Each structure stands twice: as C-alpha cells, then as structure tokens.
C-alpha cells in the first residue's frame, strides 16, 4: 500500500502535529472550522525524514504533489504560473515545535518572466507584480541556492541609491524590473544556473530546500538549546498566496485574543495597509492598531473579532493570529497558542477558569515553575538602555544594585552600617558565606552555574553572576578591571542574574510583588499592590493552592539556619529535608575544629568536642522550634576536614616567611603538620562523610547528642519535634550499621537522662553508585533514603563539578552531548536509572522505607516530574525554590494521571 505523504488542509486537524507539524495542523484545524484559510496542502514530517535518510524525495512524492497541486488549482480556479492569471504559492516549513526563523520560507512561487506580466495586468498594479517577482528571486537564491543574502541586499541598496529613495516600497516599476534583471544575473554568476522559469521546478526545488533546512547549523543549534529532538523532521506547507499589498483595500496584520504581556482581555494587534506580512515585523513602517482597522474596514474588523473569539473558544487559550486583507476580503494565514509573559500566563489561566473554558486542573498545567521563578525575582526596569560592561553566566536570577566590595569581611561590615553591597570574588568558598549572606548580589570571575557561588546564591535567593572572565579581580588593590573600566571599592554596580549582564552605576530595579505575597500572605500583599498586581497575586495564589491539593510529593526545604527555616516555612515548606551541619562549624568555631585535629590524646579531643556541643544544641533548638510539627532531617558532618582548616599552600608560605624572619610560631608549625597530614589529592573522594565519623571518635557522637538534647528541650516545652538523622556518603551497609548503633546508644542515654521518649529515624544519603546498587542491603538498616543527586551525578559521570563546567560543558552543550547540564536537570537515563534501582531495591527490602531527594534537582521543574514518576515521598530544595516545587509537584501529579488515563483508552 502506497504511503500517504500529503494531506490537504481539509484532511488534517490540530491533533496531528507529529505528522503535519504545528503550522500545518493548525491550518487544517481552521479549515475544518470553516474559517477563510487560503487553500493548500501539507507534505508530512515523515516525507522529510524519508528525504533526509535517502538523500532524495520518496519516489511517490512527485506524483502525490501533482495530485495535490491540481486539487489546489481547482479550488483556486487558477493554474500555477499561468501566463495570464497565475496561481502563486508559498512554501513554508512547519515542525511540531515552533522554531521561529530557523527554517525556510519561499513566497510567490510560480512567477516567471511571463506570469509576472499576467500578474501585473490582472492586478492592475505593475509595481506590485515586479516587487513580488524580485522577492521570489531573492528568497529562492538565498534559500534554495544558498547564495549569500548580502549579495542581494547590496544590489537592492544600489538600486535605491540610483533611484534616490530610502525605502523599498518607494521603488518604481522600472527600477524593480532592473532589480529583477540584476538578481537573475546574481543567480547565474553565483549558482551557475539560470533562475528556473518552470513553475513546477521552482516548487520542487523549494520543497527540497525546506526539507534541507531541518539540518542547517542554525536549526540544529536551536534544537540543542531548546531540547527539541533531532529526529522529528519538518512538514512543508504549500498554500495559495494572498496579497495585502494590492492597495488601500488590502493589508496585513497580527492579533492576539488577549494581551500577551499582561493577560488583559481585549483585542490586541497591529495592522498595516497595503503591506505584506514581513513589513509588519520588520519595523520599516509604523503600524496601526486594530482600533484603526475598525475605522478603515469596519466589516473586516467585525469578521476578524468573530474569528478571534471562535479560535480562542476552540483552542480554549490565548491565540496568536496572522491575517491578510486582500481587496476587502479577510484571509486567516496562521494561528497558534500564543506565547505570553509569566504574569500573563497566570492571569490568563485563571481568567479562563472563571470564564468556564478550562478547569483548575488545566489551569495548573498551563503555567510552569520556570514562569513562577521569573515572577519571584526582582528585575531591572525594562526601559533600561545602559550597555553592560561584561556578560557572565546567569547563575541565580534577579537584579541587584550595590557598592562593590572585595572581601566577605567588608561586605558584612558595610551591610551592618546600612550599605547594599555586591560581593566581587574570583571564586567563593565556605568562608565567604557571611559575606554572601550580607551582599545583595554576588559576582565571580570564575565558575559556572554549579559553582559554589551559584549553588549557595540560588539556595539563598541571592542574585549572582558567575564566570565573568573579562573582569579581573585584584584583592590587593580592592578593585576590579574590565577593559578600560576600573571598579573601585565603593563604586556602584548593577548585576542581572537572569541575563548575566554587569553594569556600571545603579540601574532601576522593579521588586517582585509575588515574593511579597509569599512572605506576607495574600491579604497583606494585596493591600500594598496595584490593581494589576493584586490580580496577579490572586491568580498565583489560586493556582498554588490548587497544586497543593493535587500533589502527592511533599515539599521540604534545605535549610541550615533559623532564618532559612523561617523563610521556607513562609513559602510553604513542609519540613526540612536537609539541614547541613558544616556551616555551623565556620567562623569562630573553626578554632575548635583545629583543636580536634591537633589533639594528641582522646581527652584533648573530647574536651574540644564538648565545647561544641552546647553551640550545636542551640543551633538545632532554633531550627526545631520554627519547624515544630514538621520533619527536620539533620545531616551529620559531611565535608573533609581540610575545608575547616587553613589552605595548605597559604599556610606553608606563611610558615616559611616566619622562619625567614626567625619568628616561628610552634602552634603554626603544629597546625601545618596536621594540615599536611590530612592533605588529600582528591578530598571529595577521601576522608569525608561517614568515613570521617568512623575515623574521628566522638565527632558524630557530639552531633547526635546535641540533636537528641535539643529535641528533648522541645518536648519539655510541650512542642512536637519530628527529627531524623541522616548519615552521609554511605557506600556499605556496615558503615551505616556501625554509625547507627553508636547513634542509638547516645539517644538512649539522653532518653534516660532527660526521662523522655525520643523517636528519631536514622537513614542515609544515597550519593554513590554503589549505595544505589546495594540499596536493598542498606535499606535493612535504614529508616529512610535521601538521594544526594549532586554528588550522585558527580560520581556517576566521573565529574568534579567545580572544574568540568568551566572546562568543557559549553563544548558538550554545543555538540549536543548534553541538552542541559546534568547538574541542573537530573540525567534520567544514567543517574536517574540508579535512583530507580535504589527505590525498587530499597522498598523491596524495607516496605516502610520513605524516600526523598535533597540535591539541587529537588527544586528543578523537570526533575520534580521524574521524582514523582519514580515514587519518591518528598523533594527538598532551597527556600526560594519551595513555591516552584509546590507548583511542579502538582503539575507532575496531573501529568502522570493524564498519561495513565490516555494509556488505558
């Protein structure tokens, strides 16, 4: 049976996007609705795939094109390229997913030296006919014959200069005839052939060029960036040309059924009399509003409004519509569900619910976590025209303005006196945390989206630009340089974490009303909001609350401080999935860690650890208090000890200089010896996590005792603490068994001493491939698993996260090895398969095992859908990602339910 490669517009519908592409499917749908669509046919994406595989068109395609073309000619009552009254057609690409400007379009196919004269006569407009012909030759030469567009553009400018005009539409018919001759000469010189005079040859070559355009470099690059599969192919849409440049009774325009910028209901769009579609978007001429169209052509306006209403009702969404008026007849050329701003997305979704066009479930599926992210972060005023001095990596969204400082100490000091500061660093480390907290924004000249600065900034909701390599940071001079620009300490700078741009001076910032709503609640935020903002607050609130009702995943937060925990609860967190304890050992407490390392006896070490216990206990008390009634999962100390000690190289230099001066400090020598003793070539795979707890007696015991005591304190106050202890970097069930036994013994001691019952679950992070593969054995001694997907990604791929992104991630993304960084979105095929394995084996061994994720992926929209699919109980993310996780968890539940329903139909 012969393959059907072509569908007439009447044969398709909007659900055939895989086969007919988005544009073709919508043209077919509008035809079925009885709208005035120029007749035409669609060559399928399957034909494109066959063409690309064979290197030629399928054998049957030529015959099927003939049959479809004859049917089109019958409908138009014209013949392609006829010398007296020619049918002209457009040949346009149209993939399943919109790829604007990435593939090819050829207009006015069918014109030649004879038919141009017939077109001039039938239209009674010689200039129009010759302009259409020169446009065809120009498009054909550039698109089909791969001639540089600049060659045609240069010739056009030459003709305009000769005619003493500045705009294309001012050229006379004679000038355009001259231009046509010049264009044909370009074809001959550059391609070695004459411009084809046979209309069918033009059509066939144009169809092939659209197929070929699927694999142009720009199309492949766009697909990589937008994560569109390479194997989809493009459809080809062949349609009868209609013209908006036939005089004042003709025109062309674009309209929207609602305002795509704000979501407001109404009629929005642009119109140009006596113009073609490209004139509207090129900006050559000032457009009119649709209100002007109502004055010029009231009947056309009324018909257009009727079409807009019909399409929005049919698609149940904002529609973007392209139309042409040819001699007072309206033609609808294209429609699609319109793109919109994040604010408009939420408003329109709720409007359509209130208009009973969609359900709340559908409204939830119409918005995304990425859109909510954009609504949460402050932004620079859109009217800003200042040029950036540098562009780095957009590491953490938002807009920040402050005075440049070059050390965390100064950042903290200046903030205390009321200054807003931007912290400039070559790169950050845990010691910079105080300055990062104090600063309104962070800029580093090294690192990428997963560097320390980026990860911490996103966790805190701080604006950050990383990897701005053109900026040189000089700590000695307390300044930064970028080309001819010098930034001194105290100079005002502005950074845009959404674009990576860095500006000199202060750029006006627009604050986010959505964050105020999340912090203060709906009622309080609406009181200070404008009418439009109040409408946005109401829309976001309704959709978030509905998502909370629909989601199965619980949403916890990663929080190490009372302040972070408070913020997370305000944003809707249902507990803490990761309370890191390493940050509690920084600052003045580092000296105690040094005492632990330098201890020459168990007694000295225990004394040092004992000094930390009351401090740790107070840290936990504050966090348990704000999260009362919600689970708090405390991870015991994870990083290697070197992170809490002076840098080995710096300390070595310091001691050497002191020796030269004859002022050697024995304590420094002892510290150097200790640092040298524990120095590791690859510390992230060395003595850390559970290994550290086993190697340094009393370290984990101190933390467990502080946790249990803080819990007992809360119980004595009549509170309801729910505490879990998480052991990091477990690779063997015996590691967990030994650590758990020690922890349980300490918990029993505290129970006895305080005369309380402490129910504390003990589990582990799954962050090593071996842990995932042996999850069944580990589950036998664990109450819960929490997937540490940051380290699991590193150890699965063999990556050092802080190194590889700057080294070769850009190349991997460019070549399509990655479609997105595996540190941003879970690598479902690799890392994800380990997660699936651990879930299945863990639950098989321990049906009561509860499962979560606490890596950065816990706040990534796409990853959340994966975690729902594999059956986790919760995700945990930074406080500022909690609303995004709440939204996406609801969307994931609905998407999964919809997929399951469709599979059973």
């Amino acid at each position: 049976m012969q393959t059907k490669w072509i569908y007439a517009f009447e044969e398709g519908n909007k659900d055939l996007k895989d086969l007919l592409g988005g544009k073709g499917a919508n043209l077919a749908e509008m035809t079925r609705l009885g709208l005035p669509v120029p007749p035409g046919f669609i060559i399928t994406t399957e034909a494109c795939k066959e063409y690309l595989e064979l290197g030629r068109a399928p054998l049957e395609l030529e015959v099927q094109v003939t049959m479809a073309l004859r049917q089109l000619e019958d409908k138009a009552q014209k013949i392609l390229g006829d010398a007296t009254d020619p049918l002209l057609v457009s040949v346009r690409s149209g993939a399943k997913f919109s790829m604007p400007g990435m593939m090819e379009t050829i207009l006015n196919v069918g014109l030649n030296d004879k038919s141009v004269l017939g077109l001039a006569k039938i239209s009674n407009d010689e200039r129009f006919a010759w302009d259409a012909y020169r446009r065809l030759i120009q498009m054909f030469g550039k698109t089909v014959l791969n001639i540089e567009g600049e060659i045609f553009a240069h010739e056009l400018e030459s003709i305009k200069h000769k005619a003493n005009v500045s705009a294309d539409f001012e050229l006379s018919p004679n000038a355009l005839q001259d231009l046509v001759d010049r264009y044909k000469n370009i074809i001959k010189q550059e391609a070695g052939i004459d411009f084809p005079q046979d209309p069918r040859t033009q059509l066939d070559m144009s169809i092939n060029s659209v197929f070929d355009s699927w694999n142009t470099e720009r199309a492949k690059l766009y697909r990589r960036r937008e994560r569109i599969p390479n194997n989809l192919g493009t459809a080809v849409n062949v349609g009868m040309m209609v013209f908006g440049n036939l005089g004042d009774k003709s025109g062309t325009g674009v309209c929207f059924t609602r305002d795509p910028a704000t979501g407001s209901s109404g009629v929005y769009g642009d119109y140009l009399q006596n113009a073609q579609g490209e004139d509207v978007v090129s900006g050559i001429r000032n457009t009119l509003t649709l209100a002007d169209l109502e004055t010029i052509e009231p009947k056309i306006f009324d018909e257009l409004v009727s079409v807009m209403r019909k399409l929005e009702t049919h698609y149940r969404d904002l529609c973007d519509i392209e139309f042409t008026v040819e001699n007072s007849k309206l033609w609808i050329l294209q429609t699609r569900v319109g793109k919109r701003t994040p604010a408009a997305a939420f408003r329109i979704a709720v409007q359509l619910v209130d208009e009973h066009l969609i359900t709340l479930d559908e409204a939830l599926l119409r918005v995304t976590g990425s859109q909510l992210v954009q609504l949460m972060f402050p932004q620079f005023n859109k009217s800003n025209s200042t040029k950036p001095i540098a562009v780095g990596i957009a590491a953490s969204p938002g807009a920040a303005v402050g005075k440049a400082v070059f050390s965390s100490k100064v950042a903290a000091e200046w903030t205390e006196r009321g200054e807003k500061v931007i912290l400039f660093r070559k790169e950050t480390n845990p010691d910079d945390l105080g300055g990062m907290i104090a600063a309104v924004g962070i800029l580093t000249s090294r690192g990428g989206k997963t560097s320390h600065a980026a990860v911490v900034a996103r966790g805190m909701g701080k604006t950050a630009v990383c990897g701005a390599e053109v900026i040189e940071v000089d700590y000695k001079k307390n300044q930064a340089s970028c080309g001819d620009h010098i930034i001194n300490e105290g100079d005002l700078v502005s950074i845009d974490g959404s674009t990576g741009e860095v500006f000199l001076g202060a750029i006006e910032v627009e604050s986010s009303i959505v964050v105020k709503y999340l912090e203060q609640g709906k009622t309080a935020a609406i009181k200070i909001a404008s009418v439009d903002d109040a409408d946005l607050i109401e829309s976001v609130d309704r959709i978030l609350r509905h998502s909370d009702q629909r989601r199965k995943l619980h949403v916890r937060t990663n929080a190490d401080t009372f302040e972070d925990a408070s913020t997370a609860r305000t944003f809707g967190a249902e507990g803490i999935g990761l309370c890191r304890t390493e940050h509690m050992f920084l600052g003045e407490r580092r000296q105690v860690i040094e005492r632990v390392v330098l201890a020459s006896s168990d007694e000295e070490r225990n004394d040092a650890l004992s000094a930390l216990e009351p401090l740790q206990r107070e840290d936990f008390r504050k966090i348990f208090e704000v999260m009362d009634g919600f689970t708090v999962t405390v991870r015991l100390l994870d990083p290697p000890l070197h992170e809490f000690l002076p840098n080995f190289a710096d300390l070595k230099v310091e001691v050497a200089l002191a020796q030269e001066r004859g002022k050697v400090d024995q304590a420094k020598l002892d510290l150097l010896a200790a640092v040298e003793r524990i120095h590791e070539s690859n510390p992230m795979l060395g003595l850390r996590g559970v290994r550290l707890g086993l190697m340094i007696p009393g370290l984990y015991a101190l933390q467990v005792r502080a946790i249990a005591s803080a819990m007992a304190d809360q119980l004595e106050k009549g509170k309801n603490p729910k505490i879990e202890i998480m052991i990091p970097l477990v690779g063997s069930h015996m590691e967990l068994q030994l650590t758990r036994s020690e922890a349980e013994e300490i918990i029993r001691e505290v129970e006895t001493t305080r005369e309380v019952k402490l129910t504390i679950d003990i589990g582990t992070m799954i962050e090593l491939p071996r842990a995932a593969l042996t999850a069944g054995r580990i589950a036998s001694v664990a109450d819960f698993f929490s997937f540490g997907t940051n380290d699991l990604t590193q150890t699965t791929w063999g990556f050092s996260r802080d190194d590889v992104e700057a080294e070769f991630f850009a190349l991997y993304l460019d070549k399509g090895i990655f479609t997105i960084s595996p540190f941003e979105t879970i690598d479902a095929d690799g890392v994800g398969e380990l997660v699936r394995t651990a879930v299945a084996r863990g639950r098989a061994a321990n049906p009561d095992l509860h499962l979560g994720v606490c890596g950065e992926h816990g706040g990534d929209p796409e990853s959340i859908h994966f975690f729902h699919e594999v059956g986790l109980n919760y995700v945990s993310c930074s406080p500022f990602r909690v609303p995004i996780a709440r939204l996406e968890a609801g969307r994931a539940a609905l998407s999964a339910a919809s997929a399951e329903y469709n599979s059973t139909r």
Side-chain angles (χ1 to χ4, degrees):
M1 186 174 177
Q2 193 178 65
T3 302
K4 183 176 175 63
W5 300 116
I6 294 179
Y7 286 71
F9 286 174
E10 294 84 354
E11 296 179 285
N13 62 65
K14 65 181 174 64
D15 298 322
L16 295 179
K17 289 183 179 179
D18 285 340
L19 185 65
L20 306 182
K23 186 179 297 179
N26 285 329
L27 284 167
E29 188 74 9
M30 291 193 296
T31 301
R32 290 178 64 248
L33 290 173
L35 299 180
V37 177
F41 58 89
I42 307 150
I43 304 173
T44 66
T45 57
E46 292 299 320
C48 175
K49 288 188 274 190
E50 186 82 358
Y51 171 90
L52 295 174
E53 183 176 336
L54 298 175
R56 59 170 174 77
L59 294 177
E60 309 95 334
L61 184 60
E62 185 177 7
V63 173
Q64 292 188 26
V65 168
T66 299
M67 299 299 291
L69 179 59
R70 291 199 174 188
Q71 292 176 11
L72 174 58
E73 289 173 333
D74 291 342
K75 293 169 188 172
Q77 297 185 349
K78 296 180 181 182
I79 302 298
L80 182 70
D82 181 69
T84 56
D85 186 9
L87 168 68
L88 305 181
V89 297
S90 61
V91 182
R92 302 174 187 266
S93 61
K96 176 182 179 180
F97 299 105
S98 178
M99 294 172 56
M102 294 300 109
M103 293 182 293
E104 304 300 358
T105 292
I106 304 98
L107 305 179
N108 306 330
V109 171
L111 276 176
N112 56 27
D113 293 350
K114 293 180 180 179
S115 60
V116 69
L117 301 177
L119 182 63
K121 185 174 181 180
I122 199 74
S123 66
N124 196 30
D125 190 337
E126 194 177 5
R127 190 202 171 281
F128 154 73
W130 285 102
D131 185 49
Y133 194 17
R134 72 91 183 171
R135 288 177 190 253
L136 167 63
I137 299 171
Q138 184 174 356
M139 286 186 185
F140 194 92
K142 181 174 179 290
T143 300
V144 181
L145 302 177
N146 297 312
I147 299 171
E148 285 293 329
E150 285 300 316
I151 301 175
F152 293 104
H154 176 75
E155 211 60 58
L156 176 58
E157 290 302 314
S158 175
I159 284 283
K160 288 195 290 186
H161 180 74
K162 179 181 176 182
N164 196 28
V165 299
S166 58
D168 300 2
F169 60 82
E170 295 176 302
L171 289 171
S172 68
N174 287 337
L176 288 167
Q177 287 185 55
D178 185 10
L179 185 58
V180 164
D181 289 337
R182 295 190 186 195
Y183 278 2
K184 287 196 289 186
N185 285 334
I186 291 173
I187 298 284
K188 181 70 173 178
Q189 292 169 8
E190 298 293 328
I193 63 170
D194 292 321
F195 175 74
Q197 292 295 303
D198 176 41
R200 179 56 190 270
T201 300
Q202 293 177 15
L203 177 60
D204 289 341
M205 292 178 72
S206 297
I207 291 169
N208 289 347
S209 76
V210 172
F211 284 155
D212 287 331
S213 71
W214 176 257
N215 275 337
T216 60
E217 285 305 312
R218 68 181 182 186
K220 288 190 286 188
L221 177 61
Y222 183 87
R223 289 199 296 275
R224 285 198 294 270
R225 290 180 176 176
E226 297 298 317
R227 305 177 69 192
I228 297 172
N230 282 319
N231 61 352
L232 299 180
T234 180
V236 181
N237 302 282
V238 179
M240 182 183 80
M241 287 291 301
V242 292
F243 299 96
N245 55 343
L246 284 172
D248 289 342
K249 291 294 183 180
S250 302
T252 190
V254 177
C255 60
F256 301 90
T257 56
R258 296 172 194 247
D259 187 340
T262 66
S264 300
S265 299
V267 178
Y268 298 88
D270 298 312
Y271 180 71
L272 264 181
Q273 282 181 285
N274 193 23
Q276 287 195 302
E278 62 193 65
D279 299 328
V280 175
V281 297
S282 68
I284 294 173
R285 296 164 56 188
N286 292 327
T287 59
L288 305 174
T289 67
L290 292 190
D292 296 317
L293 175 61
E294 184 176 18
T295 302
I296 298 165
E297 291 272 10
K299 288 185 178 179
I300 293 293
F301 175 82
D302 290 342
E303 185 181 358
L304 179 63
V305 170
S306 175
V307 167
M308 292 168 71
R309 178 179 171 83
K310 188 169 188 176
L311 284 173
E312 182 174 271
T313 301
H314 184 72
Y315 283 89
R316 300 185 303 132
D317 207 343
L318 160 70
C319 288
D320 171 355
I321 303 164
E322 296 178 16
F323 66 95
T324 284
V325 178
E326 182 183 81
N327 291 324
S328 296
K329 176 172 175 55
L330 176 67
W331 293 99
I332 306 300
L333 306 183
Q334 183 174 333
T335 193
R336 53 184 169 263
V337 171
K339 296 185 183 299
R340 64 210 73 183
T341 64
F346 279 87
R347 288 192 184 105
I348 290 171
V350 171
Q351 287 168 9
L352 294 175
V353 171
D354 290 341
E355 293 170 22
H356 309 294
L357 281 173
I358 64 174
T359 65
L360 261 174
D361 281 353
E362 290 173 300
L364 177 54
L365 291 172
R366 295 278 179 92
V367 297
T368 68
S370 298
Q371 290 169 329
L372 185 56
V373 167
Q374 293 179 58
L375 291 178
M376 287 181 64
F377 287 96
Q379 299 175 329
F380 286 126
N381 190 301
K382 302 297 186 300
S383 62
N384 168 49
S385 59
T386 306
K387 300 295 183 185
I389 62 165
V391 179
I393 295 171
S396 184
V401 179
K403 293 182 178 180
V405 297
F406 299 90
S407 76
S408 292
K409 181 181 178 183
V410 173
E413 290 172 352
W414 286 29
T415 299
E416 283 182 12
R417 70 188 196 204
E419 304 274 14
K420 291 185 176 181
V421 300
I422 304 291
L423 178 61
F424 277 64
R425 302 290 290 168
K426 292 177 182 177
E427 58 196 4
T428 63
N429 58 54
D431 273 350
D432 289 312
L433 186 64
M436 296 172 77
I437 292 172
V440 295
I442 300 148
L443 182 145
T444 66
S445 58
R446 300 173 186 164
K449 282 189 176 181
T450 54
S451 63
H452 176 270
V455 172
V456 174
R458 285 196 293 271
M460 295 190 297
K462 296 278 185 182
T463 299
V465 173
C466 296
E469 296 178 352
V470 295
I471 296 179
E472 295 184 15
V473 178
D474 189 328
Y475 295 141
K476 291 181 179 178
K477 294 182 179 179
N478 279 337
Q479 68 175 207
S481 59
C482 179
D484 296 333
H485 303 288
I486 300 295
I487 302 170
N488 293 303
E489 189 170 76
D491 288 350
L492 275 174
V493 290
S494 302
I495 62 172
D496 191 330
S498 302
T499 65
E501 293 174 314
V502 182
F503 303 91
L504 292 179
I507 306 296
E508 184 182 351
V509 173
E510 299 174 331
S511 61
S512 168
I513 192 66
V514 172
V515 169
K516 292 178 181 176
Y517 144 70
L518 291 166
E519 290 175 339
Q520 303 172 16
K522 184 176 76 170
T523 303
I526 285 177
K527 286 181 180 179
I528 62 172
S530 65
V531 174
D532 285 343
D533 282 345
D535 185 43
L536 176 60
I537 291 168
E538 181 66 40
S539 300
V540 172
D541 179 69
R542 284 179 65 180
I543 290 177
L544 262 183
R545 283 190 290 109
H546 185 68
S547 183
D548 287 338
Q549 294 172 358
R550 285 289 185 255
R551 62 185 166 89
K552 295 181 179 179
L553 281 169
H554 290 282
V555 178
R556 300 186 191 176
T557 190
N558 301 339
D560 315 332
T561 66
F562 166 81
E563 291 78 13
D564 281 350
S566 298
T567 298
R569 278 293 301 124
T570 300
F571 285 179
E574 301 164 301
I576 294 178
L578 174 62
C579 177
R580 304 176 186 88
T581 55
E582 48 265 28
H583 292 158
M584 300 173 183
F585 289 87
L586 298 176
E588 295 178 357
R589 301 184 191 181
R590 289 178 66 130
Q591 296 175 359
V592 183
I593 293 292
E594 290 182 9
R595 286 173 55 199
V596 172
V597 175
L598 294 172
S600 57
S601 66
D602 291 344
E603 185 178 357
E604 283 185 32
R605 182 172 53 250
N606 291 335
D607 285 345
L609 291 171
S610 297
L612 282 172
E613 184 183 331
L615 301 174
Q616 281 261 274
R617 180 172 169 179
E618 179 62 15
D619 293 331
F620 295 135
R621 183 194 64 77
K622 291 179 180 178
I623 293 172
F624 295 171
E625 203 164 75
V626 74
M627 282 290 172
D628 189 55
F630 294 95
T631 300
V632 176
T633 305
V634 181
R635 182 180 74 183
L636 302 185
L637 197 65
D638 181 34
L641 283 179
H642 83 274
E643 290 198 9
F644 304 101
L645 301 175
N647 179 272
F648 178 52
D650 292 345
L651 188 58
K652 202 169 183 179
V653 171
E654 183 182 344
V655 169
L657 291 173
Q659 286 175 329
E660 285 182 12
R661 295 192 300 267
K663 298 181 179 179
V664 183
D665 184 338
Q666 186 59 45
K668 287 290 184 186
L669 287 172
D670 293 342
L671 182 59
L672 177 61
V675 171
E676 188 170 13
R677 187 177 70 249
I678 67 168
H679 177 72
E680 296 174 302
S681 298
N682 193 345
M684 296 312 291
L685 293 178
L687 184 60
R688 55 169 288 216
V690 66
R691 305 159 192 169
L692 196 63
L694 292 170
M695 285 293 294
I696 301 182
L699 181 61
Y700 276 6
L702 142 77
Q703 293 193 287
V704 173
R705 186 170 284 104
I707 291 167
S709 298
M711 182 178 182
D713 293 340
Q714 295 302 104
L715 289 170
E716 287 177 357
K717 294 178 182 178
K719 302 290 186 180
N720 182 29
K722 297 180 178 180
I723 311 303
E724 297 178 338
I725 292 175
M726 183 156 63
I727 315 299
L729 210 73
V730 164
S732 161
H733 76 287
M734 281 303 298
E735 290 174 318
L736 181 58
Q737 177 66 71
L738 291 169
T739 310
R740 180 181 185 123
S741 295
E742 181 186 24
E744 288 177 332
E745 184 177 339
I746 293 167
I747 291 169
R748 285 194 295 270
E749 288 176 8
V750 175
E751 284 181 322
T752 302
T753 303
R754 301 290 295 275
E755 298 182 348
V756 293
K757 174 63 178 173
L758 301 177
T759 303
I760 301 177
D761 284 348
I762 298 174
T764 185
M765 289 185 80
I766 302 295
E767 47 193 330
L768 296 173
R770 190 182 193 282
L773 295 172
T774 61
R777 300 184 74 183
I778 295 174
S780 66
V781 289
D783 298 314
F784 66 89
F785 287 168
S786 181
F787 291 93
T789 51
N790 297 343
D791 274 352
L792 188 58
T793 298
Q794 289 195 97
T795 52
T796 301
W797 277 93
F799 287 158
S800 170
R801 186 178 65 186
D802 290 337
D803 297 325
V804 295
E805 187 170 57
E807 290 293 329
F808 60 79
F809 267 33
L811 175 69
Y812 270 42
L813 290 165
D814 184 57
K815 290 189 174 296
I817 298 172
F818 294 153
T819 56
I820 193 169
S821 165
F823 293 110
E824 290 184 47
T825 293
I826 192 80
D827 162 30
D829 295 332
V831 178
E833 193 59 30
L834 287 172
V835 173
R836 288 180 191 274
T837 299
V839 168
R841 294 180 181 181
R843 282 204 169 124
N846 180 358
D848 294 328
L849 190 74
H850 59 277
L851 304 164
V853 60
C854 61
E856 269 204 271
H857 297 107
D860 170 66
E862 187 174 333
S863 301
I864 289 168
H865 287 250
F866 172 81
F867 296 134
H868 172 91
E869 177 197 339
V870 298
L872 299 193
N873 300 106
Y874 69 88
V875 295
S876 188
C877 55
S878 63
F880 279 81
R881 303 290 293 186
V882 166
I884 289 91
R886 289 168 55 198
L887 183 74
E888 285 296 343
R891 296 182 73 245
L894 291 178
S895 296
S898 175
E900 183 178 353
Y901 170 75
N902 290 331
S903 69
T904 60
R905 293 180 67 182

